[in-house]
Amino acid sequence: MEPPSGVALTVVMVGLTVVTGVLDAVGFLALGHVFTATQTGNLLFLGFGIAGQGGLPVAATLVSLGAFLVGAALGARVESGLAARRRPWFPVALLAEAALLVAAAVAGWESGPGRDLATGQRYATIGLMAVAMGMRNVTAMRVAAPDLATTVETRAMTALVSGSPLGRDRRLGYGSRAVPRRVSSVGAMLAGGLLGAWLLGLGTRPPLVVLLVALTVAATALIVPGLGHRRSADG
C-alpha cells in the first residue's frame, strides 16, 4: 500500500513534523544539548565541541549522529524490501518508529525521585530516538511530499519566501498553491518545539513526552491504511 496523497498526506506529514519538534525539544532541553532529528545542528555542535567552545557535548552528539545513520540504513532496507514485495511499507515504517520511541522512553525512565540519568542510560535514550529519526528521514524521502521533510525546515522557509510575492520566483512556486503547505510545514516545527518545551516546563518527565510522541506516531500508522483505501475509492 502506498501512502495517502493530497490533503490527507499533507495532514499526516504536518503531524509528523510537529512530533519531530517535540522530540528535539526533549533532546536539547532534557538530554544535554543534543538533537536526535535535526542532524545539521548536531554536525555544527560536534564541530563546536571538538574546538572546545560553548561547552557542547561531543560524545552525546556522536551517539546521535551514529545512531541516526544506523536508522537510515535500517529504514532503507526495511522500507525498500517491503515495497519490492508490494507490502504496506509506509504504516510499517511508522510503527517501527513508534516502537523505537517506546524503547527510548523505557531506556530513559527514572526509577527514583531524581531525574538525572546515568551516562549509559542517557546515551541509550538518545541513540534509540536517533535511530527512530533516521528511519523517519528515509520514510519522508520515500514519500517525497513537497516542502514536508518533517525534520528540517530550511528549504521550506526558503521556498516560502522565494515563491511568495516578495520573491516572485515561479520556479519556486510563485503563483501556485504551495504557500499554505509551506506555512503549515514551518509552523508545525515551531509548534512542536513550543509544545515540547511547554510540556517539559510543566514538569512532565521526558520519557513521558517521548511516549506521547510514540503513541501519536503509532496512531498515525493505524489510520494511514484507511486514508489509502479512501484514496483508492475516490479514484
Side-chain angles (χ1 to χ4, degrees):
M1 185 195 74
E2 293 295 321
S5 62
V7 175
L9 178 61
T10 297
V11 171
V12 168
M13 301 305 279
V14 166
L16 293 176
T17 304
V18 172
V19 297
T20 295
V22 174
L23 286 179
D24 267 347
V26 172
F28 190 84
L29 298 174
L31 295 177
H33 296 106
V34 64
F35 292 122
T36 56
T38 311
Q39 294 299 327
T40 301
N42 276 342
L43 287 172
L44 293 172
F45 286 171
L46 181 60
F48 302 158
I50 290 174
Q53 298 299 314
L56 294 169
V58 172
T61 304
L62 284 172
V63 168
S64 183
L65 283 165
F68 182 90
L69 295 176
V70 170
L74 178 63
R77 287 293 189 94
V78 170
E79 295 177 34
S80 63
L82 289 170
R85 295 193 295 273
R86 298 185 180 278
R87 299 294 178 85
W89 63 269
F90 186 59
V92 170
L94 294 182
L95 287 173
E97 176 187 328
L100 286 164
L101 292 175
V102 169
V106 171
W109 200 265
E110 308 97 343
S111 58
R115 296 194 177 190
D116 292 334
L117 298 178
T119 300
Q121 192 178 9
R122 184 165 67 92
Y123 288 169
T125 304
I126 292 169
L128 287 165
M129 289 169 63
V131 172
M133 290 298 96
M135 290 194 68
R136 161 76 72 74
N137 269 261
V138 173
T139 305
M141 291 180 72
R142 287 182 60 85
V143 170
D147 307 309
L148 290 164
T150 77
T151 59
V152 63
E153 294 301 324
T154 305
R155 289 176 65 90
M157 291 172 66
T158 303
L160 175 62
V161 174
S162 300
S164 73
L166 292 174
R168 303 178 66 89
D169 191 330
R170 293 193 178 278
R171 291 194 64 179
L172 295 178
Y174 177 63
S176 70
R177 299 179 179 178
V179 171
R181 182 180 65 242
R182 291 167 178 174
V183 170
S184 297
S185 179
V186 174
M189 185 66 79
L190 175 61
L194 179 61
L195 176 60
W198 178 71
L199 288 171
L200 293 171
L202 288 177
T204 309
R205 292 192 171 194
L208 287 178
V209 179
V210 175
L211 187 60
L212 175 63
V213 170
L215 293 175
T216 302
V217 174
T220 302
L222 294 178
I223 68 171
V224 161
L227 295 174
H229 291 319
R230 180 177 178 179
R231 182 188 67 173
S232 299
D234 292 341

